[in-house]
Amino acid sequence: MKKNSLLILIACALLLSSFVQAQSLDSFAADDGWKAKIERIAPAKTTYPAKKKHKVLLFSLFTGFDHWVVPHTNAVIEILSQKSGAFEVVQSNDIMFFKKDKLKDFDVVVLNNNCSIGTNRDLFRDKLSEDKSLTEAQAIAGAKELEQNLLNFVRKGGGLMVMHGGIVMQNKSAEFSEMMGGSFDYHPKQQMLHVKLVNPRHPLVQAFGGEGFNHVDEAYMFNVAYSKRNFRPLLYLNTKEVEGLKGENPEPVKYISWIKRYGKGRVFYTSPSHNAQSFDNPNLLQYFLDAMQYVAGDVNVDDSPIGANTP
């Protein structure tokens, strides 16, 4: 009897452990050992010929939620760039890099989990408001200028790659949402997600070999410009497989990664990933490198929008 009780207790403990793990994964440092592992599994070269060595601004400032994956994402972008030899990366948390004379030096901007805070949801305004020599009106005007510089950078032909929470950077801006293809709405608890390919034949998902992948992540949901479907989706979730979505009848499909044109420029967004454990998937690393080549203009693929009438 005691043995059976012990077995039941052990089973319950294992179930509880699995439940907790399904909601969150433990953070860890992006140390040299972890970086060496990523270096080993990262692709050795680009999928497509690089037109030149592209200069990348990797921007990782946040004023809101601190994603523990920020330093890991920085490391991934650096490793992919250096190992492939196709990109030169400049890392910065300085919003002054969004001045016109600074942006013009770059071919691609990567936004890494740049969550803003408060009701404004405007990272530029958040940061400028820290300068007590500026009035509120000056901070608002300065933030608008920096945002407009980024919009113009992409509109005139620059590349933009946005990682996970980077979509929240200017989350109340209709123009930013239009460029991005949507705004962040909410996410349910972390859980095991079954990520699927919209079109397994699309060149930018060839890294996955025709199959999706599973990982623990936040299932980002989107609003504002997202309803226009002014993008070409690459990855999606079946909402029947996601716990905790709002509404009684959620849309059957939620896109979580896409590409799109904005003026003469190109945009790539990926919701994966909130957790650095996902980067252990070499296919995901290849996907990111291929996306970098897309926004840099090394490859032409179907990036036509699917339109608002598409489920």
Side-chain angles (χ1 to χ4, degrees), residues 50-123:
K51 293 180 179 179
K52 65 172 186 175
K53 192 166 188 176
H54 306 285
K55 193 167 183 181
V56 176
L57 172 61
L58 176 53
F59 183 66
S60 307
L61 176 70
F62 57 89
T63 54
F65 186 81
D66 179 0
H67 284 83
W68 69 270
V69 76
V70 167
H72 305 76
T73 304
N74 279 339
V76 164
I77 298 300
E78 287 274 14
I79 290 168
L80 292 175
S81 299
Q82 292 172 5
K83 191 172 180 180
S84 69
F87 301 92
E88 175 189 350
V89 175
V90 174
Q91 282 195 45
S92 180
N93 289 345
D94 185 357
I95 63 172
M96 290 300 108
F97 269 92
F98 291 89
K99 287 287 191 180
K100 287 181 182 178
D101 62 337
K102 292 280 191 180
L103 271 180
K104 66 179 178 58
D105 294 333
F106 296 95
D107 304 301
V108 172
V109 172
V110 178
L111 300 179
N112 173 16
N113 285 288
N114 315 96
C115 289
S116 52
I117 196 170
T119 57
N120 297 316
R121 287 293 190 177
D122 182 334
L123 182 136

Side-chain angles (χ1 to χ4, degrees), residues 94-259:
D94 185 357
I95 63 172
M96 290 300 108
F97 269 92
F98 291 89
K99 287 287 191 180
K100 287 181 182 178
D101 62 337
K102 292 280 191 180
L103 271 180
K104 66 179 178 58
D105 294 333
F106 296 95
D107 304 301
V108 172
V109 172
V110 178
L111 300 179
N112 173 16
N113 285 288
N114 315 96
C115 289
S116 52
I117 196 170
T119 57
N120 297 316
R121 287 293 190 177
D122 182 334
L123 182 136
F124 292 134
R125 182 175 172 181
D126 292 344
K127 193 62 181 176
L128 289 173
S129 294
E130 295 176 4
D131 185 348
K132 300 309 177 184
S133 70
L134 298 177
T135 66
E136 183 180 8
Q138 288 173 324
I140 293 171
K144 185 64 178 177
E145 176 189 339
L146 296 178
E147 179 187 298
Q148 195 62 52
N149 290 344
L150 175 57
L151 295 169
N152 290 339
F153 167 81
V154 181
R155 190 182 289 119
K156 293 178 180 179
L160 181 64
M161 181 174 184
V162 182
M163 310 295 286
H164 193 58
I167 199 170
V168 187
M169 191 169 99
Q170 306 297 108
N171 209 54
K172 290 291 184 70
S173 166
E175 289 182 277
F176 187 79
S177 181
E178 188 70 25
M179 176 179 68
M180 282 301 312
S183 298
F184 172 75
D185 186 11
Y186 75 98
H187 67 77
K189 67 180 182 182
Q190 287 193 58
Q191 58 193 280
M192 181 62 70
L193 298 179
H194 309 289
V195 180
K196 297 173 174 59
L197 311 182
V198 175
N199 177 6
R201 295 183 296 279
H202 194 282
L204 289 190
V205 298
Q206 293 310 297
F208 299 112
E211 300 289 338
F213 61 96
N214 299 329
H215 71 158
V216 175
D217 202 1
E218 296 173 333
Y220 266 26
M221 300 292 115
F222 308 95
N223 57 14
V224 191
Y226 178 85
S227 63
K228 299 179 180 180
R229 306 290 197 273
N230 190 20
F231 51 68
R232 174 61 47 174
L234 300 175
L235 305 178
Y236 76 97
L237 299 174
N238 181 340
T239 57
K240 291 182 179 179
E241 299 175 352
V242 181
E243 295 181 26
L245 294 183
K246 296 179 181 178
E248 295 182 3
N249 298 298
E251 295 171 303
V253 165
K254 284 292 182 180
Y255 301 115
I256 58 171
S257 184
W258 56 76
I259 54 174

Side-chain angles (χ1 to χ4, degrees), residues 253-297:
V253 165
K254 284 292 182 180
Y255 301 115
I256 58 171
S257 184
W258 56 76
I259 54 174
K260 70 186 297 288
R261 292 289 185 133
Y262 184 70
K264 296 179 180 179
R266 301 174 178 206
V267 176
F268 167 83
Y269 174 71
T270 176
S271 176
S273 177
H274 177 85
N275 297 304
Q277 285 86 346
S278 299
F279 298 150
D280 289 351
N281 181 351
N283 296 337
L284 193 61
L285 300 180
Q286 182 71 66
Y287 180 62
F288 293 156
L289 181 58
D290 291 348
M292 291 179 73
Q293 286 207 270
Y294 165 74
V295 298

